[in-house]
Structures are given as structure tokens and as C-alpha cells.
């Protein structure tokens, strides 16, 4: 009877190693595949907007539907750094110098323009569009890992950031 506790622990460890460890490995691989998919779709949206010079509601809705297919919900943050060219006149040498500066356009302004009256956010050549995507809830891998570690993880499982310079090749 003294060996009964050892046998129970042996069966418990066997179950963990045979069933749960491969499940954790597969969940980790699935998270990697989903992250690559989200990166690919984010890059496609940014590159399309960079080539066209605008971002419209239809483009964003198609993008959101593609992300929804992964089974997770996401926080999507758009950021645009608008290029401003400042000219300064040097009167002593009678030369004009040009320097660039950027004005930051935040997420709220972009979403307001997308779901506003005309449903479009226009950008100019030289602006920089950046999209940051992070999953809201825990992924399967995070759930299994927090079960093993007996604590929750702080970082988001799916996190993608991608950006590009606006070329505006339509004109």
C-alpha cells in the first residue's frame, strides 16, 4: 500500500507528458501560424494604402473579416505621421533651406474619418502609415501555459506592427 501514492503520481505525470505537452507544442505552433497570417494581412493593407494614398472603410472591413477568421478578436491601432515640409529663409545668404517635420495623427481621428461621412482617410506622398494589432484575449497556448505555470502571462499572444511610406502611385 505504501507504493500506491507513487503509482498515482506516476500515472499523473505520464498523462501530462503524453497528452498535455504535445498539446502545448501544437498550440504554440498554431499561434505562430496565426501571427504570420495577421502579419501578412496587415502588410497587404498597409502596402495597398501606401500605393493608393488613402484608406477607406471597405478596405478596413475586409481586413477585419480576414482577421476574424483566425478565431480571435483584436485591437487595431492606426497611426499616421503626416509629413510637413518647412521652409526657412536665410536672409544673409539669400538661400532657402528645407527641412521635414512630422505631425502625428492618432487612432481616433483615423477611425472617425473611416466611419464618417465619406468613409475615407486620405494621405499624401511622404506620410507614414503604421498599423499595430494585438489579440484581446488569451490564445490557446497562453491558456495551456498558464495552466502549467499556475499564473497568467502579461504579454499578448498575437502582436504585429507594420508600417510603410505613402507613395500615392494613383496620380
Amino acid at each position: 500500500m505504501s507504493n500506491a501514492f507513487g503509482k498515482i503520481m506516476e500515472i499523473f505525470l505520464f498523462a501530462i507528458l503524453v497528452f498535455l505537452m504535445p498539446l502545448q507544442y501544437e498550440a504554440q505552433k498554431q499561434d505562430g501560424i496565426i501571427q504570420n497570417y495577421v502579419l501578412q494581412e496587415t502588410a497587404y493593407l498597409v502596402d495597398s494604402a501606401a500605393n493608393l494614398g488613402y484608406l477607406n472603410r471597405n478596405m478596413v472591413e475586409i481586413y477585419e473579416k480576414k482577421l476574424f477568421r483566425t478565431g480571435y478578436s483584436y485591437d487595431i491601432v492606426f497611426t499616421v505621421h503626416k509629413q510637413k515640409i518647412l521652409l526657412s529663409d536665410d536672409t544673409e545668404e539669400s538661400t532657402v533651406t528645407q527641412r521635414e517635420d512630422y505631425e502625428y495623427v492618432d487612432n481616433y481621428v483615423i477611425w472617425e474619418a473611416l466611419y464618417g461621412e465619406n468613409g475615407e482617410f486620405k494621405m499624401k506622398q511622404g506620410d507614414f502609415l503604421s498599423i499595430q494589432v494585438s489579440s484581446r484575449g488569451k490564445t490557446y497556448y497562453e491558456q495551456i501555459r498558464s495552466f502549467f505555470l499556475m499564473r497568467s502571462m502579461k504579454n499578448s499572444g498575437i502582436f504585429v506592427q507594420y508600417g510603410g511610406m505613402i507613395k500615392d502611385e494613383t496620380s
Side-chain angles (χ1 to χ4, degrees), residues 68-97:
F68 183 72
R69 291 180 194 162
T70 64
Y72 297 115
S73 58
Y74 298 93
D75 289 322
I76 303 170
V77 178
F78 293 98
T79 307
V80 173
H81 295 276
K82 289 192 163 276
Q83 183 183 35
K84 292 169 50 176
I85 298 176
L86 305 173
L87 301 175
S88 59
D89 188 14
D90 191 1
T91 55
E92 291 179 14
E93 299 177 19
S94 66
T95 59
V96 176
T97 57

Side-chain angles (χ1 to χ4, degrees), residues 26-171:
E26 289 300 319
Q28 185 178 13
K29 294 294 259 182
Q30 181 183 5
D31 279 5
I33 291 168
I34 290 173
Q35 183 154 351
N36 283 334
Y37 177 75
V38 171
L39 176 62
Q40 177 183 352
E41 294 302 328
T42 304
Y44 181 78
L45 178 64
V46 169
D47 292 344
S48 295
N51 290 335
L52 296 172
Y54 64 88
L55 194 61
N56 67 25
R57 184 180 325 157
N58 187 36
M59 294 165 69
V60 173
E61 286 175 353
I62 290 171
Y63 172 70
E64 287 176 328
K65 285 178 185 176
K66 287 180 179 180
L67 293 187
F68 183 72
R69 291 180 194 162
T70 64
Y72 297 115
S73 58
Y74 298 93
D75 289 322
I76 303 170
V77 178
F78 293 98
T79 307
V80 173
H81 295 276
K82 289 192 163 276
Q83 183 183 35
K84 292 169 50 176
I85 298 176
L86 305 173
L87 301 175
S88 59
D89 188 14
D90 191 1
T91 55
E92 291 179 14
E93 299 177 19
S94 66
T95 59
V96 176
T97 57
Q98 174 181 336
R99 73 181 173 90
E100 294 180 6
D101 194 18
Y102 288 92
E103 174 186 342
Y104 175 79
V105 180
D106 70 343
N107 190 41
Y108 177 76
V109 173
I110 297 169
W111 281 106
E112 193 175 85
L114 289 173
Y115 287 94
E117 197 171 297
N118 75 0
E120 190 171 87
F121 182 79
K122 291 195 179 274
M123 297 168 279
K124 294 181 180 159
Q125 189 173 10
D127 294 350
F128 188 84
L129 171 66
S130 174
I131 300 177
Q132 178 180 319
V133 181
S134 59
S135 59
R136 286 187 187 147
K138 287 185 176 183
T139 64
Y140 299 127
Y141 174 67
E142 287 176 316
Q143 292 172 0
I144 293 170
R145 187 163 178 195
S146 66
F147 171 76
F148 281 130
L149 298 177
M150 302 298 177
R151 62 179 178 188
S152 70
M153 297 170 50
K154 294 178 183 176
N155 296 341
S156 173
I158 308 294
F159 181 81
V160 169
Q161 188 169 5
Y162 190 84
M165 186 75 67
I166 305 302
K167 296 177 225 129
D168 190 12
E169 296 176 348
T170 58
S171 50

